[in-house]
Amino acid sequence: MDTRAVYPGSFDPVTNGHIDLIQRSAALFDNVLVAILRNTDKTPFFSVEERMEMLQDAIRGIKNVSVTSFEGLLVDFVERIGASVIIRGIRAISDYEYELQMALMNRRLSSKVETVFMLPAESYSFLSSRLVKEIAQLGGSIRGLVPEDVERRLGRKLRIR
Ligand code: PNS
């Protein structure tokens, strides 16, 4: 049986830490679907369409990975597309509490879906989309933290703001 996994998140924007986790997941599961949350409550830096383009560019060449977006409950989406695994990255112990709460709540909502926690490379354990945006906004270098295309787009967006 093919195991289909969903890697959900905001990806605003995708970082090299996310990409590292996607590569690791692609080696473990038959099929990995990166799913961007369409969240009407939050004002994102990049639109869902822009985030989708950046992710698509980042995963080019990994043949069992694709990108989509979703709204509503994650477990409903996971079940609807016939997946059985949710992938979440844990960088440090500080991530664990929130991730544990979400994983257990998702398990309560659907006993058919399992959450798998994965660790990115240590070199990305301090990396987050929020910090990348903050550093870029304050004029610091984000080279090596995000794909070059993301770096260019961040620069362009900040110049026209
Ligand atoms: O990258 P993020 O912002 O940490 O991702 C959080 C995400 C998208 C995984 C989470 O907010 C989510 O699953 N939202 C969908 C709504 C939902 O199912 N909420 C109940 C979670 S227990």
Side-chain angles (χ1 to χ4, degrees):
M1 199 185 76
D2 275 8
T3 308
R4 189 160 218 221
V6 172
Y7 179 31
S10 305
F11 304 104
D12 187 30
V14 61
T15 68
N16 287 347
H18 293 129
I19 297 167
D20 177 80
L21 222 73
I22 292 170
Q23 284 163 339
R24 289 172 197 279
S25 310
L28 269 186
F29 301 101
D30 296 302
N31 212 285
V32 177
L33 187 59
V34 183
I36 305 168
L37 174 67
R38 285 187 180 272
N39 188 349
T40 44
D41 297 343
K42 270 196 197 169
T43 314
F45 195 80
F46 289 104
S47 70
V48 171
E49 288 63 35
E50 288 173 313
R51 284 180 269 161
M52 189 103 87
E53 282 169 16
M54 288 184 274
L55 268 161
Q56 253 145 9
D57 195 59
I59 59 146
R60 192 163 296 141
I62 320 180
K63 62 177 185 345
N64 58 336
V65 179
S66 45
V67 186
T68 191
S69 66
F70 76 102
E71 49 197 340
L73 272 184
L74 174 61
V75 286
D76 288 347
F77 169 73
V78 171
E79 281 189 20
R80 197 163 58 241
I81 61 154
S84 54
V85 173
I86 294 171
I87 296 162
R88 291 291 289 172
I90 301 230
R91 290 161 299 190
I93 199 72
S94 49
D95 283 337
Y96 182 68
E97 216 169 314
Y98 169 64
E99 293 299 334
L100 176 72
Q101 188 184 17
M102 238 181 5
L104 293 177
M105 187 59 86
N106 281 332
R107 180 183 279 169
R108 189 193 153 92
L109 292 168
S110 169
S111 56
K112 295 186 210 142
V113 176
E114 243 1 289
T115 298
V116 172
F117 292 146
M118 293 188 63
L119 308 178
E122 301 101 277
S123 48
Y124 298 131
S125 58
F126 56 88
L127 180 53
S128 72
S129 300
R130 185 182 61 78
L131 276 183
V132 162
K133 282 179 286 194
E134 188 174 315
I135 293 164
Q137 265 160 341
L138 297 173
S141 170
I142 52 166
R143 179 117 335 143
L145 302 179
V146 293
E148 280 176 21
D149 170 54
V150 175
E151 191 181 339
R152 270 194 301 273
R153 284 179 188 247
L154 264 165
R156 266 204 307 270
K157 216 169 241 279
L158 289 168
R159 275 197 297 276
I160 56 168
R161 273 186 169 214

